[in-house]
């Protein structure tokens, strides 16, 4: 995320075309497996009027724009003995061109050690996608995990963590 | 890439809210530092007329397990919350540290705290105006 000092004239900064948040599907049965598409659900159009098409957990990004996309998930240990040091790594995947895009993220539970310094990890996957000439379908996929077996789990304990989301910034080309 | 802004503004659209010492968490606590004058003081935070995208996180100073959101509501939507987490506790759900929201008021709100200590002076809330 870039930063503009207050002494800089910001008159050339643009408004985004739209900001849309996709609420991931919450439930008790979504298991974790490498390569699985994370289940996504309700679209919340926060700014502008972009409401992407969603089919089989893939999001369609129309052509004519740049897109900045962020995704994060919640994970939980249900049948794995409540082990320490659980994690899940995930990424954005270009379904149209069958390629990983952007940077991966790892949401993890540190165990009983200090976790307040927020060091050395990024728990939001990010991608800047150029759709100025052609649109794509993308998904959020699991690429690695340990000691957690449910994702976006909304039964016991879910109240202590946020559930998964994908934030899409639609930017003018 | 570059852009030409459609709606001209005379101030930066980026603002940050912090506190010079540890945050006293609660619905009426107001951080003491805001970087831009277009965010004006209200009970429990700052606000401006218009719409903006907010993101931030709180860093606990002691044992803490809780989700945190921002906005006018006392119970922000679960998918906008961040996780307030120290130390780890096996068996809890875990997720991103950062909360996000979109609205007209910057106010931090606690959600279903398990333990609830102060937050450190490194905690912050950022606001981006997206309408002039």
């Amino acid at each position: 995320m870039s930063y503009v000092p207050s002494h800089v004239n910001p008159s050339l900064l643009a408004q985004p075309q739209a900001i849309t948040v996709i609420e991931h599907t919450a439930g008790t049965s979504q298991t974790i497996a490498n390569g699985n598409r994370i289940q996504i659900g309700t679209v919340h159009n926060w700014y502008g009027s972009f409401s992407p098409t969603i089919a089989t957990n893939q999001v369609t990004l129309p052509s004519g724009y740049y897109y900045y996309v962020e995704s994060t998930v919640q994970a939980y240990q249900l049948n794995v003995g409540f082990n320490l040091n659980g994690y899940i790594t995930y990424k954005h995947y270009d379904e149209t061109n069958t390629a990983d895009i952007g940077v991966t993220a790892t949401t993890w539970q540190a165990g009983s050690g200090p976790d307040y310094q927020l060091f050395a990890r990024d728990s939001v996957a990010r991608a800047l996608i150029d759709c100025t000439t052609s649109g794509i379908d993308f998904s959020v996929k699991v690429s690695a995990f340990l000691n957690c077996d449910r994702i976006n789990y909304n039964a016991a304990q879910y109240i202590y963590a946020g559930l998964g989301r994908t934030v899409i910034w639609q930017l003018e080309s | 890439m570059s852009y030409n802004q459609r709606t001209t503004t005379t101030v930066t659209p980026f603002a940050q809210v912090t506190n010079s010492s540890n945050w006293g968490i609660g619905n009426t606590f107001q951080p003491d530092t805001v970087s831009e004058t277009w965010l004006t003081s209200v009970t429990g935070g700052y606000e401006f007329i218009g719409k903006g995208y907010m993101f931030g996180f709180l860093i606990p100073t002691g044992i803490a397990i809780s989700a945190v959101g921002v906005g006018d509501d006392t119970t922000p939507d679960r998918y906008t919350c961040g996780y307030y987490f120290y130390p780890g506790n096996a068996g809890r759900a875990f997720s991103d540290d950062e909360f996000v929201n979109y609205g007209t008021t910057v106010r931090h709100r606690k959600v279903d705290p398990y333990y609830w200590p102060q937050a450190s002076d490194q905690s912050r809330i950022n606001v981006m105006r997206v309408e002039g």
Side-chain angles (χ1 to χ4, degrees), chain B residues 4-124:
Chain B
N4 284 322
Q5 189 177 24
R6 290 179 301 177
T7 304
T8 302
T9 61
T10 56
V11 296
T12 175
F14 301 99
Q16 181 167 265
V17 175
T18 56
N19 201 58
S20 56
S21 58
N22 288 344
W23 294 38
I25 304 303
N27 289 347
T28 59
F29 174 77
Q30 182 185 45
D32 62 12
T33 304
V34 60
S35 64
E36 301 299 327
T37 55
W38 50 263
L39 277 176
T40 56
S41 176
V42 296
T43 301
Y46 297 87
E47 67 180 8
F48 68 98
I49 304 301
K51 296 180 180 179
Y53 180 81
M54 292 171 271
F55 63 99
F57 55 84
L58 303 183
I59 303 173
T61 57
I63 295 173
I65 303 172
S66 183
V68 178
V70 292
D72 288 329
D73 298 331
T74 55
T75 53
D77 292 322
R78 181 59 50 185
Y79 64 89
T80 66
C81 289
Y83 193 25
Y84 192 88
F85 184 63
Y86 164 69
N89 187 327
R92 305 295 176 191
F94 44 102
S95 65
D96 186 34
D97 309 305
E98 184 178 84
F99 51 78
V100 300
N101 212 322
Y102 178 80
T104 58
T105 305
V106 183
R107 291 177 183 172
H108 59 276
R109 298 288 188 184
K110 62 183 180 181
V111 182
D112 301 320
Y114 186 73
Y115 293 110
W116 193 253
Q118 289 183 316
S120 85
D121 57 4
Q122 298 301 302
S123 304
R124 67 202 60 177

Side-chain angles (χ1 to χ4, degrees), chain A residues 1-54:
Chain A
M1 191 68 68
S2 62
Y3 168 70
V4 179
S6 59
H7 63 273
V8 172
N9 186 337
S11 60
L12 294 180
L13 295 172
Q15 305 282 7
Q17 188 76 11
I19 302 172
T20 295
V21 179
I22 302 173
E23 178 180 347
H24 291 185
T25 302
T28 58
S29 60
Q30 186 175 177
T31 55
I32 298 173
N34 288 338
N36 270 14
R37 290 180 192 143
I38 291 170
Q39 296 174 16
I40 55 179
T42 306
V43 173
H44 301 270
N45 191 209
W46 277 359
Y47 177 73
S49 59
F50 176 53
S51 295
T53 300
I54 298 173

Side-chain angles (χ1 to χ4, degrees), chain A residues 14-162:
Chain A
Q15 305 282 7
Q17 188 76 11
I19 302 172
T20 295
V21 179
I22 302 173
E23 178 180 347
H24 291 185
T25 302
T28 58
S29 60
Q30 186 175 177
T31 55
I32 298 173
N34 288 338
N36 270 14
R37 290 180 192 143
I38 291 170
Q39 296 174 16
I40 55 179
T42 306
V43 173
H44 301 270
N45 191 209
W46 277 359
Y47 177 73
S49 59
F50 176 53
S51 295
T53 300
I54 298 173
T56 59
N57 298 309
Q58 300 174 72
V59 180
T60 298
L61 298 177
S63 64
Y65 301 96
Y66 293 101
Y67 295 92
Y68 175 68
V69 181
E70 296 182 341
S71 293
T72 186
V73 304
Q74 174 245 56
Y76 184 63
Q77 303 170 348
L78 181 65
N79 297 313
V80 292
F82 294 152
N83 292 291
L84 303 178
N85 302 316
Y87 71 87
I88 175 172
T89 298
Y90 45 96
K91 61 191 177 184
H92 293 107
Y93 184 76
D94 181 343
E95 299 277 1
T96 302
N97 300 295
T98 62
D100 295 342
I101 48 176
V103 294
T104 60
T106 297
T107 299
W108 70 291
Q109 186 180 51
S112 58
D115 189 36
Y116 57 90
Q117 297 292 347
L118 303 177
F119 56 87
R121 75 184 191 276
D122 189 348
S123 48
V124 178
R126 307 170 199 271
L128 185 59
I129 303 171
D130 183 351
C131 291
T132 53
T133 56
S134 59
I136 68 163
D137 294 341
F138 81 92
S139 62
V140 185
K141 285 191 171 184
V142 177
S143 57
F145 66 98
L146 177 70
N147 290 337
C148 49
D149 58 351
R150 290 291 186 277
I151 192 167
N152 296 322
Y153 188 76
N154 67 349
Q157 310 298 339
Y158 92 98
I159 57 174
Y160 301 117

